[in-house]
Amino acid sequence: MLNIHNLSVAFGGEYLFDEVSFRLNPGDRVGLIGKNGAGKSTMLKLLSQEMEADTGTIASDKDVKIGFLKQDIDFVQGRTVLEESYEAFEEIRSLELQIDKVNHQLAERTDYESESYNQLMIDLNDITSHYEILGGYNYQGDTEKVLIGLGFKREDFNKLTDTFSGGWRMRIELAKLLLQKNDVLLLDEPTNHLDIESIIWLEQFLKSYTGVVVIVSHDKMFLDNVTNRTIEISLGKIYDYNKPYSQYLVLREEIRTQQLASQKNQEKQIQQTEKLIEKFRAKASKASMAQSLIKKLDKIDRIEVDGEDNDVMNLRFPVSIQPGKVVIEAEDVEKNYGQKEVLKGIDLLIERNSKIAFVGQNGQGKTTLAKIIVGELKHEGVMKLGHNVQLSYFAQNQAEYLDGEITVLETMIDGANESNRSKVRDILGSFLFRGEDVDKKVKVLSGGERNRLALAKMLLQPFNVLVMDEPTNHLDIKSKNVLKQALQNFEGTLILVSHDRDFLQGLTNKVYEFKDRKIKEYLGDINFYLEERKVSDLREIEKKDVVANTSKETKNKLSYEQQKKQKSLNNKISKIESKIAQLEKEIAEMDVELAINYEEVTSTPDFFEKYHSKKKELEQLMEDWEEVTEALEAYT
């Protein structure tokens, strides 16, 4: 489907990739991995033909459709969620306009036997057939299914996209791509803005996808659950194996171990041969044998060991000053967003040096409470900070607060003070921004590089209490491990909002679960919490809660009479839809008859009367369907 041959790209004289080649075939679900800045996003841009390589070619089958989910997206303002999602169906929407236009013309005319009227009927039949082939009668339902799968509620459908955060707008963009039925899907960090329920839905969708999927992600479980192939970009080369991420790591290590062993044996043989050459050179009678051994040595293919890029950031969180014993105290804290109550009656006491995890479904108030603690949100109730408390907050979209138009160095200088301004370049170096990297504008950095810069900038201010909301978004797996190590060594108080069990393991000694506007304390680490909840994974909790809440809400909301009414309305919709399908079929058959045997058909008595009668009946049924659907929404 896509054939990549001898592709090379260089920036500032250094190769991101040097003559790499591979092929992507239908059914390939590729995890594209590598450290931040290795060139993953650049490779996606090349595959999408958004940028050109310095050398090499990318050949594709004819009419291959490629969809690309980027980290940065632009939206046209003024559209609702549904309207923006329907942009995925450009051709279908165009055909709808054409159908409306022809139907409008037919409704205004009475010259049923004229040639131009006949041509309009033929045109309508052609357009309608094409519309049906493209799935015109199903696209609205498909759109709703995908939006709901990605976490939207029906009441969100008619809200303007402008009113949603960047993360939710990313979900709309993802929905559009999934609905377009592209042959190749390129997804750059698709799970960063999804809750676990939506990630599970996306996994199921991608596993049944018949085209090519190429995913850049640092979510190990997502890669293991979705991919069947891994391509790693490292030191300008690629390593390509038909294994999901974790299996690839094991295989790659085994291969490297074998290479090292083979290289060691070869080195021994070479050294022995060189000793013999030196020995034989000294004797005239053995000179020809020495020459023979030299030729043999020249012909040996030296075994190379796959290179490893072990360059990682150097991260340490110093504690500014010693705070009092109690660092945070909350009493009867409440928070509402309009009519929606998110937190109610929250009491909290956090002591110095506590290591705390906030867990629970999205929308249960984890980020809200974190923002209340750091003073970013107004609220009801009392939130007090203890003596000498200095807070630092890393938001889950922290990188978005960076100014894209200034350089990496300027970003750090702007955040520095007199005492640490001279150390800015050293700090940047420890976060892998070296040499000319510091003169890059922030807007050209990858998502992971921006997160690293945001972490570096955070260190310029003193703190002894650290609140971090999904800090691992965009970070490569090695950087995640470095961050985890730094947090383990942090001697202050830590509050972590995260869905990542691997990251939380060994980091916290207390867990607060957010559910039904309340918080529940678990006096142990993340493993203790999962044992108490009798599950093996944070995903299982969210999945369990979603199923339980859905069935519970349905039972609580609907009385027996209401359930009877709901069933009656469902039956009514089924009957109406059956009649609509039958009428549409009959009208389509009459359209074909008109197109093929116009003279014979038009001489039949009452043909047009029946034709227009069926159309009116269809219009009435569509109105009935809308009314019943609206009535049914009250019960769902």
Side-chain angles (χ1 to χ4, degrees):
M1 191 170 279
L2 284 180
N3 192 25
I4 293 84
H5 183 66
N6 286 345
L7 211 63
S8 297
V9 172
F11 287 110
E14 289 187 20
Y15 279 101
L16 273 181
F17 353 99
D18 186 11
E19 295 192 346
V20 301
S21 300
F22 57 96
R23 181 175 175 80
L24 297 172
N25 301 304
D28 282 347
R29 298 190 298 276
V30 180
L32 186 62
I33 66 169
K35 73 167 201 173
N36 293 141
K40 303 183 296 295
S41 293
T42 299
M43 179 62 81
L44 292 187
K45 288 176 184 175
L46 292 167
L47 296 176
S48 69
Q49 298 170 7
E50 196 174 277
M51 69 178 283
E52 290 185 4
D54 296 334
T55 63
T57 58
I58 298 177
S60 64
D61 295 347
K62 193 179 179 183
D63 300 326
V64 164
K65 288 171 65 181
I66 299 174
F68 182 19
L69 179 73
K70 295 179 274 192
Q71 291 182 14
D72 301 313
I73 54 171
D74 292 317
F75 267 90
V76 175
Q77 292 193 334
R79 286 182 186 152
T80 65
V81 171
L82 271 183
E83 286 168 346
E84 185 63 45
S85 302
Y86 288 158
E87 290 297 304
F89 305 98
E90 192 176 337
E91 192 173 0
I92 287 175
R93 302 278 280 174
S94 173
L95 290 173
E96 280 183 340
L97 292 174
Q98 293 177 50
I99 290 169
D100 287 344
K101 186 178 176 183
V102 174
N103 277 328
H104 186 67
Q105 289 175 334
L106 288 171
E108 288 181 338
R109 296 176 62 159
T110 55
D111 54 334
Y112 305 132
E113 297 184 9
S114 68
E115 190 174 329
S116 59
Y117 190 90
N118 177 47
Q119 187 57 49
L120 281 175
M121 296 296 295
I122 294 170
D123 292 344
L124 181 63
N125 181 59
D126 290 344
I127 298 167
T128 305
S129 297
H130 191 199
Y131 181 77
E132 188 173 354
I133 289 166
L134 291 176
Y137 296 115
N138 303 318
Y139 82 92
Q140 292 179 334
D142 290 344
T143 301
E144 292 186 10
K145 282 178 195 171
V146 171
L147 286 173
I148 288 169
L150 290 174
F152 288 92
K153 296 183 172 63
R154 289 190 180 276
E155 54 262 35
D156 296 328
F157 290 173
N158 293 312
K159 292 178 183 174
L160 293 176
T161 58
D162 316 23
T163 62
F164 288 87
S165 67
W168 282 96
R169 277 183 276 178
M170 186 67 79
R171 293 190 193 206
I172 299 169
E173 190 67 16
L174 178 57
K176 283 161 61 178
L177 283 179
L178 300 183
L179 289 162
Q180 281 171 353
K181 297 180 180 174
N182 293 293
D183 303 298
V184 179
L185 265 183
L186 308 174
L187 305 177
D188 198 353
E189 300 286 4
T191 63
N192 270 359
H193 300 287
L194 299 182
D195 55 23
I196 288 174
E197 183 194 358
S198 299
I199 290 173
I200 292 167
W201 180 89
L202 181 61
E203 285 176 356
Q204 297 306 317
F205 185 98
L206 293 176
K207 279 196 271 192
S208 61
Y209 192 76
T210 54
V212 172
V213 185
V214 181
I215 303 165
V216 171
S217 177
H218 300 123
D219 183 333
K220 290 190 285 186
M221 188 176 287
F222 180 73
L223 289 173
D224 281 342
N225 288 344
V226 172
T227 63
N228 54 21
R229 180 177 172 188
T230 300
I231 296 177
E232 180 180 8
I233 301 173
S234 178
L235 301 172
K237 295 182 178 181
I238 65 163
Y239 301 92
D240 183 0
Y241 294 94
N242 290 320
K243 298 284 183 185
Y245 178 75
S246 293
Q247 291 179 37
Y248 161 77
L249 287 183
V250 173
L251 182 62
R252 178 105 150 77
E253 190 55 38
E254 286 174 358
I255 290 170
R256 199 168 181 282
T257 302
Q258 288 170 3
Q259 287 174 340
L260 282 166
S262 300
Q263 187 187 58
K264 195 173 180 181
N265 287 334
Q266 189 183 61
E267 279 299 318
K268 279 183 182 177
Q269 291 174 2
I270 290 169
Q271 286 171 13
Q272 287 172 354
T273 306
E274 286 173 341
K275 283 178 183 177
L276 283 172
I277 290 168
E278 287 303 313
K279 184 179 177 182
F280 292 158
R281 266 180 178 162
K283 298 179 182 178
S285 61
K286 303 284 186 179
S288 61
M289 191 175 289
Q291 287 300 316
S292 175
L293 287 171
I294 288 169
K295 286 178 183 177
K296 184 181 176 183
L297 203 59
D298 289 340
K299 287 179 182 177
I300 289 177
D301 285 331
R302 303 284 173 133
I303 294 169
E304 291 185 9
V305 177
D306 292 343
E308 280 194 310
D309 190 350
N310 292 316
D311 204 7
V312 293
M313 62 181 180
N314 179 21
L315 183 56
R316 190 173 68 87
F317 294 111
V319 173
S320 55
I321 53 175
Q322 181 84 330
K325 186 180 179 183
V326 175
V327 293
I328 296 166
E329 191 172 1
E331 188 178 333
D332 202 25
V333 168
E334 296 185 5
K335 178 62 184 175
N336 300 327
Y337 292 101
Q339 298 296 312
K340 187 178 180 183
E341 191 174 48
V342 179
L343 297 171
K344 184 174 183 178
I346 302 298
D347 295 323
L348 187 66
L349 185 97
I350 297 177
E351 294 187 342
R352 182 179 61 225
N353 300 338
S354 297
K355 301 288 190 289
I356 293 167
F358 284 0
V359 302
Q361 284 177 271
N362 273 23
Q364 292 292 332
K366 302 186 300 296
T367 295
T368 297
L369 186 57
K371 286 184 174 180
I372 288 172
I373 288 171
V374 299
E376 281 199 7
L377 281 181
K378 292 182 178 178
H379 58 90
E380 301 297 320
V382 177
M383 177 66 71
K384 291 191 298 187
L385 299 182
H387 177 64
N388 275 347
V389 167
Q390 293 180 327
L391 280 167
S392 184
Y393 177 49
F394 190 89
Q396 58 179 287
N397 60 340
Q398 189 71 33
E400 292 177 18
Y401 294 109
L402 301 174
D403 185 347
E405 296 303 322
I406 63 175
T407 67
V408 170
L409 183 58
E410 288 167 344
T411 299
M412 290 292 284
I413 289 172
D414 285 352
N417 53 42
E418 289 301 321
S419 65
N420 57 26
R421 191 164 284 126
S422 61
K423 299 176 184 174
V424 158
R425 283 185 180 272
D426 291 337
I427 295 170
L428 282 173
S430 69
F431 280 80
L432 306 183
F433 294 105
R434 297 164 186 154
E436 294 177 0
D437 290 342
V438 301
D439 297 319
K440 287 180 181 177
K441 285 197 173 181
V442 171
K443 66 182 179 183
V444 304
L445 300 178
S446 70
E449 288 172 320
R450 285 186 214 180
N451 253 30
R452 288 211 314 264
L453 179 57
L455 281 168
K457 188 178 179 183
M458 190 179 74
L459 293 182
L460 295 171
Q461 301 302 320
F463 58 86
N464 49 31
V465 177
L466 184 53
V467 182
M468 304 189 91
D469 191 353
E470 300 291 358
T472 59
N473 281 358
H474 296 294
L475 286 182
D476 63 60
I477 289 158
K478 285 182 179 176
S479 296
K480 268 192 196 181
N481 292 335
V482 171
L483 174 60
K484 181 173 179 176
Q485 184 68 50
L487 292 175
Q488 284 173 328
N489 295 332
F490 177 53
E491 295 177 357
T493 305
L494 176 65
I495 298 173
L496 264 178
V497 180
S498 180
H499 289 102
D500 189 334
R501 179 190 175 178
D502 285 340
F503 184 69
L504 288 175
Q505 277 181 332
L507 263 185
T508 62
N509 50 32
K510 190 182 292 185
V511 174
Y512 284 103
E513 180 184 45
F514 286 66
K515 190 177 178 185
D516 298 331
R517 306 186 302 278
K518 299 284 187 181
I519 61 172
K520 183 177 179 181
E521 184 181 66
Y522 290 81
L523 297 173
D525 64 5
I526 195 68
N527 291 336
F528 171 77
Y529 163 70
L530 293 171
E531 284 169 16
E532 289 291 297
R533 295 283 263 115
K534 294 182 171 56
V535 292
S536 61
D537 197 280
L538 286 171
R539 287 176 170 220
E540 289 181 44
I541 288 171
E542 296 220 3
K543 204 171 179 182
K544 257 186 175 182
D545 289 346
V546 169
V547 172
N549 289 340
T550 304
S551 59
K552 185 180 172 185
E553 283 173 15
T554 304
K555 284 177 185 175
N556 289 346
K557 278 182 184 176
L558 302 181
S559 66
Y560 176 71
E561 288 300 319
Q562 287 173 321
Q563 288 179 42
K564 270 182 70 179
K565 181 68 176 173
Q566 184 188 38
K567 189 174 180 181
S568 170
L569 289 170
N570 275 318
N571 290 337
K572 198 170 183 181
I573 281 179
S574 296
K575 287 177 184 176
I576 292 172
E577 286 175 345
S578 178
K579 286 180 183 177
I580 287 171
Q582 183 60 35
L583 269 175
E584 284 176 340
K585 185 181 176 185
E586 290 172 7
I587 291 168
E589 286 172 355
M590 293 176 85
D591 287 337
V592 172
E593 283 291 313
L594 267 173
I596 297 171
N597 304 311
Y598 179 76
E599 289 185 9
E600 185 182 330
V601 169
T602 51
S603 62
T604 305
D606 305 328
F607 176 83
F608 283 108
E609 191 177 322
K610 288 179 183 176
Y611 181 78
H612 288 294
S613 172
K614 286 181 186 292
K615 284 210 156 190
K616 282 182 181 176
E617 188 180 351
L618 180 60
E619 285 176 15
Q620 184 58 52
L621 282 169
M622 295 298 276
E623 287 177 15
D624 293 346
W625 183 87
E626 285 181 19
E627 286 178 16
V628 178
T629 302
E630 283 178 15
L632 185 61
E633 281 181 2
Y635 299 95
T636 57

